[in-house]
Amino acid sequence: MKKNIRDFNLNNKKVLIRCDFNVPIKDGKIVDDNRIVMSLPTIKYALGNNAKVILFSHLGRVKEEADLAKNDLAPVAARLSELLDKEVVFVPVTRGEELENAIKNMNPRDVILVQNTRYEDLDGKKESSNDPELAKYWASLGDVFINDAFGTVHRAHASNVGIASNLEEVGVGFLVEKELTELEKLDNPERPFTLILGGSKVSDKIGVIENLIKKCDYLLIGGGMAFTFLKAKGTNIGTSVLDEENLEFAKKMINEYGNKIILPGDVNAFKEFNNESSNRIVNLNELEEDEMGLDIGPETVKTFSYIISTSKTVFWNGPLGVYEFSKCTKGTEDVLKALVDSHATTILGGGDIVAAAANLGYKDKVTHASTGGGATLEYMEGKELPGISCIPEA
Ligand code: AMP
């Protein structure tokens, strides 16, 4: 177990907390504040323990001057202030006198939010390349460092690995702790262990498949990526999306682990890649040459649901159809329903599938909905996460 915020005496200390406030902002307004809400337990704990709380986060990408204004963290400070019901002082710079004075003037239980850490990327990618001088400087502003930004733990940046490497008292926050506790359940999963993968690209999932194919009992594949595996088996896929480059990989997996890999047998087929196109449910052996599968069909839903009902652990990444089209949400929705109706430990891994579960009101009914897209996948690939490995064990 990694050191945790509870392991430190925070009284009157300057506590640097790396949060993930990378929220969608449109016309200066926050569209979805979920990430800010999720950071509250750690921030409140620090305040409750009389700390001076200094918050860091990235927002979007900053490559050129024009990216600065649209990635300003000021709206986050305002929203956080509402949620905490107390003043959050926003410091619009990432270094210098203004920041240092603001920290000097802090009292216990005060909160400061520092400007977007990626503003430092404008000058030679200092944040993203974990510039040693920047890391030292940020670390010098505090006494304790807490990493609570799970979404970036797969990256070694100055605001996570950099600060952690320059302070003695370093730990994770409650959000990161929960992510690790839940994802670690997949290291030794209760069996049967089922992996569900969807989305369009095989390439993004190769690492996960390679790492988990031996460990899992079933691999259910839907979404666009299923067609590369179907093609590898010699099934007709019409004009469905094909990832040519990974056809050989798919063939290899089918040859070696074919008994574990369950592919769609029927699809919701469209003539064109748009929601207005005519569509029909069809078995793959009846799919016309000019039709493409944009969602799994009801027979496939039944098969997937049955396997889920017999599983003890399920991990799912990627939608099973083109979730953006209203006619193609059913497969994902129906399988999500089977998931929440099951008795399995159920873990959703990042991005689209968590958003889908949230829209349907299922997010709170799964065991865990992981917040880190790339970070979750890299964990599932068995890769080391630099933002975690730099934190000492408790
Ligand atoms: P990924 O980024 O690889 O997880 O893919 C997510 C995307 O996969 C979503 O935008 C979906 O629209 C897309 N997708 C899901 N099913 C299909 C399909 N059958 N054909 C094409 N794209 C799909």
Side-chain angles (χ1 to χ4, degrees), residues 11 40 61 65 69 82 96 144 146-147 158 176 213 225 255 268 281-283 287 295 319 335 341 345 359 382 390:
N11 187 25
L40 293 176
R61 293 225 166 99
E65 285 289 326
E82 284 171 6
V144 178
I146 299 299
N147 190 357
V176 169
I213 191 77
M225 64 181 282
N255 284 338
N268 190 354
I281 301 292
V282 63
N283 282 333
L287 189 74
D295 195 9
V335 176
D341 286 346
T345 296
N359 285 341
C390 66

mmCIF file of all heavy atoms in Angstrom, residues 11 40 61 65 69 82 96 144 146-147 158 176 213 225 255 268 281-283 287 295 319 335 341 345 359 382 390:
data_model
loop_
_atom_site.group_PDB
_atom_site.id
_atom_site.type_symbol
_atom_site.label_atom_id
_atom_site.label_comp_id
_atom_site.label_asym_id
_atom_site.label_seq_id
_atom_site.Cartn_x
_atom_site.Cartn_y
_atom_site.Cartn_z
ATOM 1 N N ASN A 11 -0.981 19.564 10.097
ATOM 2 C CA ASN A 11 -1.268 20.775 10.870
ATOM 3 C C ASN A 11 -0.310 21.922 10.532
ATOM 4 O O ASN A 11 0.898 21.788 10.707
ATOM 5 C CB ASN A 11 -1.184 20.434 12.369
ATOM 6 C CG ASN A 11 -1.628 21.605 13.223
ATOM 7 O OD1 ASN A 11 -2.400 22.449 12.762
ATOM 8 N ND2 ASN A 11 -1.113 21.684 14.442
ATOM 9 N N LEU A 40 -12.861 16.549 -4.047
ATOM 10 C CA LEU A 40 -13.239 17.189 -2.779
ATOM 11 C C LEU A 40 -12.821 16.412 -1.522
ATOM 12 O O LEU A 40 -12.342 17.022 -0.558
ATOM 13 C CB LEU A 40 -14.751 17.470 -2.745
ATOM 14 C CG LEU A 40 -15.243 18.525 -3.745
ATOM 15 C CD1 LEU A 40 -16.761 18.652 -3.683
ATOM 16 C CD2 LEU A 40 -14.597 19.885 -3.477
ATOM 17 N N ARG A 61 -4.222 21.089 -23.432
ATOM 18 C CA ARG A 61 -2.827 21.110 -23.888
ATOM 19 C C ARG A 61 -2.442 22.535 -24.236
ATOM 20 O O ARG A 61 -3.237 23.258 -24.820
ATOM 21 C CB ARG A 61 -2.673 20.254 -25.148
ATOM 22 C CG ARG A 61 -2.880 18.792 -24.880
ATOM 23 C CD ARG A 61 -1.800 17.964 -25.555
ATOM 24 N NE ARG A 61 -1.819 16.618 -25.022
ATOM 25 C CZ ARG A 61 -2.417 15.581 -25.623
ATOM 26 N NH1 ARG A 61 -2.992 15.763 -26.784
ATOM 27 N NH2 ARG A 61 -2.403 14.395 -25.066
ATOM 28 N N GLU A 65 0.768 30.253 -27.855
ATOM 29 C CA GLU A 65 0.141 31.369 -27.124
ATOM 30 C C GLU A 65 -1.388 31.267 -27.119
ATOM 31 O O GLU A 65 -2.017 31.466 -26.096
ATOM 32 C CB GLU A 65 0.485 32.715 -27.791
ATOM 33 C CG GLU A 65 1.887 33.253 -27.586
ATOM 34 C CD GLU A 65 2.200 33.766 -26.180
ATOM 35 O OE1 GLU A 65 1.297 34.306 -25.519
ATOM 36 O OE2 GLU A 65 3.360 33.602 -25.746
ATOM 37 N N ALA A 69 -5.411 31.266 -23.213
ATOM 38 C CA ALA A 69 -6.702 31.781 -22.731
ATOM 39 C C ALA A 69 -7.732 30.667 -22.583
ATOM 40 O O ALA A 69 -8.455 30.606 -21.587
ATOM 41 C CB ALA A 69 -7.213 32.858 -23.674
ATOM 42 N N GLU A 82 -17.363 27.451 -4.867
ATOM 43 C CA GLU A 82 -18.792 27.166 -4.594
ATOM 44 C C GLU A 82 -18.935 25.820 -3.892
ATOM 45 O O GLU A 82 -19.670 25.671 -2.919
ATOM 46 C CB GLU A 82 -19.572 27.100 -5.911
ATOM 47 C CG GLU A 82 -19.860 28.448 -6.526
ATOM 48 C CD GLU A 82 -20.434 28.321 -7.944
ATOM 49 O OE1 GLU A 82 -20.720 27.179 -8.404
ATOM 50 O OE2 GLU A 82 -20.561 29.367 -8.585
ATOM 51 N N GLY A 96 6.901 32.573 -9.607
ATOM 52 C CA GLY A 96 7.242 33.981 -9.416
ATOM 53 C C GLY A 96 6.684 34.573 -8.139
ATOM 54 O O GLY A 96 6.055 33.893 -7.331
ATOM 55 N N VAL A 144 4.471 19.056 2.137
ATOM 56 C CA VAL A 144 3.939 17.705 1.883
ATOM 57 C C VAL A 144 3.382 17.704 0.464
ATOM 58 O O VAL A 144 2.815 18.705 0.018
ATOM 59 C CB VAL A 144 2.786 17.378 2.876
ATOM 60 C CG1 VAL A 144 2.182 16.006 2.594
ATOM 61 C CG2 VAL A 144 3.256 17.482 4.314
ATOM 62 N N ILE A 146 0.802 15.580 -2.151
ATOM 63 C CA ILE A 146 -0.207 14.532 -2.311
ATOM 64 C C ILE A 146 -0.610 14.458 -3.782
ATOM 65 O O ILE A 146 -1.037 15.457 -4.372
ATOM 66 C CB ILE A 146 -1.464 14.853 -1.445
ATOM 67 C CG1 ILE A 146 -1.107 14.911 0.046
ATOM 68 C CG2 ILE A 146 -2.581 13.836 -1.705
ATOM 69 C CD1 ILE A 146 -0.542 13.626 0.629
ATOM 70 N N ASN A 147 -0.471 13.278 -4.377
ATOM 71 C CA ASN A 147 -0.915 13.114 -5.758
ATOM 72 C C ASN A 147 -2.321 12.516 -5.777
ATOM 73 O O ASN A 147 -2.521 11.381 -5.344
ATOM 74 C CB ASN A 147 0.058 12.215 -6.537
ATOM 75 C CG ASN A 147 -0.257 12.231 -8.025
ATOM 76 O OD1 ASN A 147 -1.230 12.865 -8.453
ATOM 77 N ND2 ASN A 147 0.555 11.540 -8.806
ATOM 78 N N ALA A 158 6.396 17.311 -14.309
ATOM 79 C CA ALA A 158 6.982 18.043 -13.176
ATOM 80 C C ALA A 158 6.003 18.129 -12.010
ATOM 81 O O ALA A 158 6.400 18.041 -10.850
ATOM 82 C CB ALA A 158 7.400 19.439 -13.626
ATOM 83 N N VAL A 176 -6.888 8.622 -5.824
ATOM 84 C CA VAL A 176 -5.877 7.694 -6.354
ATOM 85 C C VAL A 176 -5.874 6.408 -5.535
ATOM 86 O O VAL A 176 -5.784 5.302 -6.090
ATOM 87 C CB VAL A 176 -4.478 8.357 -6.366
ATOM 88 C CG1 VAL A 176 -3.391 7.340 -6.660
ATOM 89 C CG2 VAL A 176 -4.437 9.474 -7.409
ATOM 90 N N ILE A 213 -4.910 -11.741 -21.779
ATOM 91 C CA ILE A 213 -5.542 -12.873 -22.473
ATOM 92 C C ILE A 213 -5.307 -14.201 -21.745
ATOM 93 O O ILE A 213 -6.200 -15.044 -21.686
ATOM 94 C CB ILE A 213 -5.110 -12.946 -23.970
ATOM 95 C CG1 ILE A 213 -5.961 -13.943 -24.732
ATOM 96 C CG2 ILE A 213 -3.627 -13.255 -24.132
ATOM 97 C CD1 ILE A 213 -7.328 -13.475 -25.081
ATOM 98 N N MET A 225 -13.624 -2.714 -33.334
ATOM 99 C CA MET A 225 -12.446 -3.606 -33.317
ATOM 100 C C MET A 225 -12.825 -5.083 -33.528
ATOM 101 O O MET A 225 -11.998 -5.881 -33.961
ATOM 102 C CB MET A 225 -11.626 -3.425 -32.034
ATOM 103 C CG MET A 225 -12.325 -3.789 -30.764
ATOM 104 S SD MET A 225 -11.254 -3.505 -29.315
ATOM 105 C CE MET A 225 -10.187 -4.934 -29.380
ATOM 106 N N ASN A 255 -5.938 -17.864 -33.184
ATOM 107 C CA ASN A 255 -5.310 -19.194 -33.241
ATOM 108 C C ASN A 255 -4.953 -19.713 -31.858
ATOM 109 O O ASN A 255 -5.177 -20.872 -31.542
ATOM 110 C CB ASN A 255 -4.032 -19.154 -34.094
ATOM 111 C CG ASN A 255 -4.377 -19.106 -35.564
ATOM 112 O OD1 ASN A 255 -5.481 -19.500 -35.944
ATOM 113 N ND2 ASN A 255 -3.465 -18.610 -36.380
ATOM 114 N N ASN A 268 -26.148 -4.540 -35.909
ATOM 115 C CA ASN A 268 -27.043 -3.540 -36.462
ATOM 116 C C ASN A 268 -26.296 -2.964 -37.660
ATOM 117 O O ASN A 268 -25.283 -2.270 -37.501
ATOM 118 C CB ASN A 268 -27.326 -2.473 -35.392
ATOM 119 C CG ASN A 268 -28.434 -1.526 -35.798
ATOM 120 O OD1 ASN A 268 -28.927 -1.578 -36.938
ATOM 121 N ND2 ASN A 268 -28.823 -0.653 -34.884
ATOM 122 N N ILE A 281 -31.166 -5.273 -38.402
ATOM 123 C CA ILE A 281 -30.447 -6.257 -37.590
ATOM 124 C C ILE A 281 -30.230 -7.490 -38.468
ATOM 125 O O ILE A 281 -31.179 -7.981 -39.092
ATOM 126 C CB ILE A 281 -31.277 -6.646 -36.348
ATOM 127 C CG1 ILE A 281 -31.592 -5.416 -35.482
ATOM 128 C CG2 ILE A 281 -30.580 -7.750 -35.554
ATOM 129 C CD1 ILE A 281 -30.401 -4.794 -34.802
ATOM 130 N N VAL A 282 -29.010 -7.956 -38.512
ATOM 131 C CA VAL A 282 -28.723 -9.064 -39.422
ATOM 132 C C VAL A 282 -27.619 -9.963 -38.863
ATOM 133 O O VAL A 282 -26.711 -9.485 -38.171
ATOM 134 C CB VAL A 282 -28.342 -8.486 -40.826
ATOM 135 C CG1 VAL A 282 -27.074 -7.665 -40.760
ATOM 136 C CG2 VAL A 282 -28.208 -9.571 -41.864
ATOM 137 N N ASN A 283 -27.755 -11.276 -39.154
ATOM 138 C CA ASN A 283 -26.653 -12.167 -38.806
ATOM 139 C C ASN A 283 -25.492 -11.883 -39.736
ATOM 140 O O ASN A 283 -25.702 -11.558 -40.908
ATOM 141 C CB ASN A 283 -27.074 -13.636 -38.977
ATOM 142 C CG ASN A 283 -27.922 -14.092 -37.822
ATOM 143 O OD1 ASN A 283 -27.800 -13.567 -36.711
ATOM 144 N ND2 ASN A 283 -28.785 -15.051 -38.078
ATOM 145 N N LEU A 287 -24.848 -10.533 -43.981
ATOM 146 C CA LEU A 287 -24.477 -9.128 -44.188
ATOM 147 C C LEU A 287 -24.122 -8.912 -45.665
ATOM 148 O O LEU A 287 -23.349 -9.679 -46.241
ATOM 149 C CB LEU A 287 -23.260 -8.794 -43.306
ATOM 150 C CG LEU A 287 -22.836 -7.334 -43.209
ATOM 151 C CD1 LEU A 287 -23.812 -6.546 -42.321
ATOM 152 C CD2 LEU A 287 -21.425 -7.222 -42.624
ATOM 153 N N ASP A 295 -23.260 -1.574 -34.562
ATOM 154 C CA ASP A 295 -23.568 -1.941 -33.170
ATOM 155 C C ASP A 295 -23.704 -3.459 -33.138
ATOM 156 O O ASP A 295 -23.942 -4.088 -34.174
ATOM 157 C CB ASP A 295 -24.881 -1.284 -32.722
ATOM 158 C CG ASP A 295 -25.074 -1.324 -31.201
ATOM 159 O OD1 ASP A 295 -24.109 -1.698 -30.482
ATOM 160 O OD2 ASP A 295 -26.177 -0.986 -30.739
ATOM 161 N N PRO A 319 -16.892 1.305 -25.965
ATOM 162 C CA PRO A 319 -18.299 1.040 -26.307
ATOM 163 C C PRO A 319 -18.431 -0.065 -27.352
ATOM 164 O O PRO A 319 -17.530 -0.270 -28.166
ATOM 165 C CB PRO A 319 -18.776 2.385 -26.865
ATOM 166 C CG PRO A 319 -17.552 3.074 -27.360
ATOM 167 C CD PRO A 319 -16.414 2.600 -26.494
ATOM 168 N N VAL A 335 -25.939 -4.407 -22.603
ATOM 169 C CA VAL A 335 -24.868 -5.159 -21.926
ATOM 170 C C VAL A 335 -24.527 -4.482 -20.587
ATOM 171 O O VAL A 335 -24.262 -5.162 -19.594
ATOM 172 C CB VAL A 335 -23.633 -5.331 -22.837
ATOM 173 C CG1 VAL A 335 -22.494 -6.026 -22.098
ATOM 174 C CG2 VAL A 335 -24.012 -6.138 -24.089
ATOM 175 N N ASP A 341 -26.843 -5.944 -13.355
ATOM 176 C CA ASP A 341 -27.713 -6.994 -12.794
ATOM 177 C C ASP A 341 -26.918 -8.202 -12.306
ATOM 178 O O ASP A 341 -27.463 -9.093 -11.653
ATOM 179 C CB ASP A 341 -28.724 -7.484 -13.854
ATOM 180 C CG ASP A 341 -29.819 -6.450 -14.074
ATOM 181 O OD1 ASP A 341 -29.935 -5.536 -13.241
ATOM 182 O OD2 ASP A 341 -30.532 -6.558 -15.094
ATOM 183 N N THR A 345 -17.889 -8.572 -9.520
ATOM 184 C CA THR A 345 -17.174 -7.322 -9.283
ATOM 185 C C THR A 345 -17.018 -6.687 -10.655
ATOM 186 O O THR A 345 -16.467 -7.314 -11.576
ATOM 187 C CB THR A 345 -15.770 -7.612 -8.697
ATOM 188 O OG1 THR A 345 -15.955 -8.215 -7.429
ATOM 189 C CG2 THR A 345 -14.948 -6.340 -8.541
ATOM 190 N N ASN A 359 -24.643 8.344 -18.192
ATOM 191 C CA ASN A 359 -25.875 8.811 -18.861
ATOM 192 C C ASN A 359 -27.061 7.938 -18.527
ATOM 193 O O ASN A 359 -28.192 8.409 -18.439
ATOM 194 C CB ASN A 359 -25.693 8.794 -20.384
ATOM 195 C CG ASN A 359 -24.819 9.938 -20.828
ATOM 196 O OD1 ASN A 359 -24.647 10.905 -20.093
ATOM 197 N ND2 ASN A 359 -24.236 9.813 -22.014
ATOM 198 N N GLY A 382 -0.285 -3.734 -17.623
ATOM 199 C CA GLY A 382 0.768 -4.219 -16.731
ATOM 200 C C GLY A 382 1.979 -3.301 -16.702
ATOM 201 O O GLY A 382 3.049 -3.677 -16.238
ATOM 202 N N CYS A 390 6.712 6.567 -7.861
ATOM 203 C CA CYS A 390 7.557 7.524 -7.117
ATOM 204 C C CYS A 390 7.025 7.772 -5.701
ATOM 205 O O CYS A 390 7.646 8.503 -4.936
ATOM 206 C CB CYS A 390 7.661 8.840 -7.881
ATOM 207 S SG CYS A 390 6.103 9.713 -8.003
#
